[in-house]
Amino acid sequence: MSTTSHSPDTATDSPLVIGGTAYRSRLLVGTGKYKDLDETRQATEASGAEIVTVAIRRTNIGQNPDEPNLLDVLPPDRYTILPNTAGCYTAEDAVRTCRLARELLDGHDLVKLEVLGDEKTLYPDVVQTLKAAETLVAEGFKVMVYTSDDPILAKRLEEIGCVAVMPLAAPIGSGLGIQNRYNVLEIVENANVPILVDAGVGTASDAAIAMELGCDGVLMNTAIAAARNPVLMASAMKHAILAGREAYLAGRMPRRRYASASSPIDGTFF
């Protein structure tokens, strides 16, 4: 099993460990779609996240000295910067993007891999994802991989050597929440690496459900950035992750078909 236990019998929680580093927060956030860098900073701070993901092909982290640099508001000495391959549609493009990120971030090897199949659904191309994952792991990258909610594929990516597997809840940016809880549960129960839901979360209850299923964390962007009040939603997500995790560790009551009195009549005074 992973260092973040998937057993709900744990009396006290353990940190989230990814690629050998321990984190207190189980909420990971994206940095796109905000109105400006100041809102990005405020929402990230309100989320309590320690890992922030950055689309290398779309975000300036030093490639262009004439544009605002995201790292000025989200400094690497405070946050773990997680470069991602958003916008890549082939394994070759994804690998090239990760290599660029490693150069820009002085040898940084933790990356989020996503290889998309088409522009309409933004579903992962699982064949290209497997190909890219094999190459990146062989080159020494610590790969957190975005994938479909297929339990067999999730296990294969773990076996390749990915440090975390990140099945979608629903299509990217849809806000539909977890559409197939049973697949996510199957992935969680058979994993030896952290499992984080990535994509499709819409509101705080979606995040709580993911955690109640036993996921080790949740990564989100649009659910916060597209909210009417992103900073407040970031705070709501932080609390939802905590509540869902505690509920999972506590172990929910059994579901019953019929009512069960909260106060039994045995031993009543009259």
Side-chain angles (χ1 to χ4, degrees):
M1 302 301 292
S2 71
T3 50
T4 48
S5 174
H6 291 122
S7 168
D9 299 327
T10 306
T12 57
D13 204 2
S14 55
L16 170 62
V17 179
I18 297 179
T21 300
Y23 298 94
R24 297 180 303 277
S25 175
R26 294 174 179 272
L27 174 59
L28 292 69
V29 297
T31 54
K33 303 184 178 181
Y34 292 100
K35 67 180 182 181
D36 54 37
L37 288 182
D38 188 57
E39 185 176 75
T40 306
R41 176 189 60 78
Q42 291 184 58
T44 304
E45 290 177 352
S47 75
E50 297 169 278
I51 301 176
V52 294
T53 185
V54 177
I56 295 299
R57 294 165 67 99
R58 301 169 180 165
T59 307
N60 181 39
I61 59 170
Q63 307 97 307
N64 189 341
D66 297 325
E67 294 183 2
N69 190 331
L70 179 71
L71 302 186
D72 290 338
V73 296
L74 300 178
D77 60 351
R78 179 173 178 184
Y79 299 98
T80 293
I81 304 299
L82 179 62
N84 71 60
T85 61
C88 291
Y89 291 86
T90 67
E92 291 75 16
D93 280 351
V95 170
R96 188 182 307 113
T97 301
C98 289
R99 290 170 179 162
L100 173 61
R102 185 153 62 181
E103 291 182 13
L104 289 170
L105 295 170
D106 298 323
H108 183 84
D109 57 8
L110 183 67
V111 295
K112 178 195 169 188
L113 170 64
E114 57 180 84
V115 186
L116 304 177
D118 63 71
E119 295 183 4
K120 179 180 179 181
T121 68
L122 300 181
Y123 265 85
D125 182 325
V126 297
V127 174
Q128 293 294 306
T129 297
L130 285 165
K131 182 179 178 181
E134 289 176 337
T135 299
L136 291 169
V137 169
E139 292 186 7
F141 285 94
K142 297 175 181 177
V143 180
M144 301 175 66
V145 58
Y146 165 69
T147 183
S148 65
D149 59 1
D150 180 342
I152 304 303
L153 179 60
K155 196 65 181 177
R156 178 69 182 122
L157 289 164
E158 176 188 321
E159 292 167 351
I160 286 173
C162 296
V163 299
V165 176
M166 306 168 70
L168 54 79
I172 291 173
S174 68
L176 292 172
I178 298 178
Q179 294 298 293
N180 196 332
R181 300 184 190 185
Y182 297 104
N183 275 21
V184 173
L185 185 60
E186 183 73 14
I187 292 170
V188 167
E189 290 181 342
N190 289 284
N192 295 304
V193 296
I195 302 298
L196 298 90
V197 157
D198 177 17
V201 169
T203 191
S205 57
D206 298 331
I209 288 170
M211 299 307 295
E212 288 172 6
L213 288 172
C215 291
D216 294 293
V218 179
L219 189 153
M220 66 183 75
N221 184 185
T222 308
I224 295 175
R228 190 164 55 249
N229 185 331
V231 177
L232 187 59
M233 182 61 80
S235 177
M237 292 299 188
K238 175 177 69 175
H239 293 295
I241 294 290
L242 291 170
R245 180 67 178 177
E246 289 186 357
Y248 170 72
L249 293 173
R252 64 157 292 142
M253 62 167 283
R255 290 181 173 87
R256 299 186 177 95
R257 184 176 178 185
Y258 300 108
S260 176
S262 299
S263 302
I265 60 173
D266 294 342
T268 54
F269 293 107
F270 55 84

